[in-house]
Each structure stands twice: as C-alpha cells, then as structure tokens.
Amino acid sequence: MNPTIIIIGGVSGTGKSTLAKELSKALSIPAFSKDELEAAVSRKGLCNNKDTKNVGYEILFTLVKNQIENNNSAIIDFIASKQRVKELWPGLLSSNFKYIECTCSNLDIHKQRIESRNRHISGWYELTWNDVLKTKKAFQPLQENHLILDSMDDLDDNIDKAIKYVSS
C-alpha cells in the first residue's frame, strides 16, 4: 500500500477512536487522536482544554507530514467534517487519503454512550449530548465517496471492511 492517510471521522460517540486503535493494530500503522494530542498540551498548561486554539490540528499535520515524508501511512482520529478540514487543514484534501465515516444508527445507544462515557484522557473533558446534537446537525462528510461504518455492527466485521477499503 502506498503511504496513505486514513481518516477516521464522524461525530463524537460513534466509535472513531475504537476503530482507529483496532485498525492501527491490524495494519501496524500508527494512529493519532486529535483529542489526546490537545489533552497533552492542556495538561502542560499551554492552553485551556476547551479553547485549544486548534493546536491539535497543527500537531496532527506535523505528525502525518513526517509519516508520509518517510514513506509511511498514518491513521488520524478526529471529527473530520468537510467544513472543519477546509477551514483548519485544507492541504489534507490534496493528499492521498482514505476517509472512513463512523456512525451510530441507534440514537438511544448513541446518547447513552455520550452520557456514560469516560475516555480516560487525562486533562480532557467529555461532551454532553447537546454538544453532540449540535455537531451532528452541522456535520457534513469530508467527501462523497467514502466508507461508512455503523458502530452498531460487529467491530470485527467493521475492521475487516475498513481493511478492504483502505487496501483498495
């Protein structure tokens, strides 16, 4: 596989981080999470965790750029909506990338995930269901032709689908 940026996108609570971590293990490709990177910066007191000035995107850009320059692929885990990428990382659109959108078809389960989750990211905050609904209302996938995975489906099946998609 040529060096590829594998973007795992979708609204919060749809299984992006779980998919990114499992796909990373399966493909032996490093996965980078914007939230974890911004939390690290916040823990050092360099920014407030709710006002990171988008430092996570800059760090992601740097990490991914280094991976691609060294002929390696990378997996990135962030909301990855069309408007967010165009605003904060427009150069990504001209890169060799595969976009996987995570969804959750069961609204009740999705809400339960958000209201009960603790991602154990030190220095980071958890979103409320209202935060997710606002994002969901405005969310547009990064591109038309992409793989959509429903986190209500079996994780192993979703990993298999993702591997086939990124290998095509």
Side-chain angles (χ1 to χ4, degrees), residues 29-142:
I29 296 172
F32 304 107
S33 164
K34 183 193 75 68
D35 289 352
E36 289 184 19
L37 296 171
E38 286 183 337
V41 172
S42 177
R43 283 192 303 271
K44 289 297 181 182
L46 301 173
C47 66
N48 176 310
N49 70 4
K50 290 191 178 183
D51 183 19
T52 62
K53 299 175 181 28
N54 299 312
V55 70
Y57 291 98
E58 187 64 29
I59 297 169
L60 274 177
F61 173 77
T62 301
L63 291 169
V64 169
K65 180 176 162 274
N66 288 339
Q67 284 293 110
I68 298 301
E69 285 175 356
N70 288 309
N71 209 29
N72 296 311
S73 296
I75 298 169
I76 52 177
D77 160 17
F78 69 114
I79 289 176
S81 66
K82 181 185 286 187
Q83 61 272 30
R84 198 168 285 203
V85 169
K86 281 184 176 180
E87 175 189 344
L88 300 170
W89 197 355
L92 181 63
L93 299 174
S94 62
S95 304
N96 181 29
F97 71 89
K98 296 281 188 163
Y99 178 53
I100 301 172
E101 179 187 357
C102 293
T103 65
C104 181
S105 60
N106 185 319
L107 199 62
D108 292 331
I109 299 273
H110 190 187
K111 181 179 181 182
Q112 181 183 24
R113 285 179 184 171
I114 293 298
E115 291 179 341
S116 65
R117 84 177 179 169
N118 182 344
R119 295 180 296 163
H120 304 288
I121 302 175
S122 176
W124 204 238
Y125 63 99
E126 296 296 343
L127 296 172
T128 67
W129 180 240
N130 283 336
D131 294 329
V132 173
L133 289 176
K134 286 178 194 171
T135 301
K136 191 173 185 154
K137 184 177 180 181
F139 183 83
Q140 294 178 347
L142 184 56

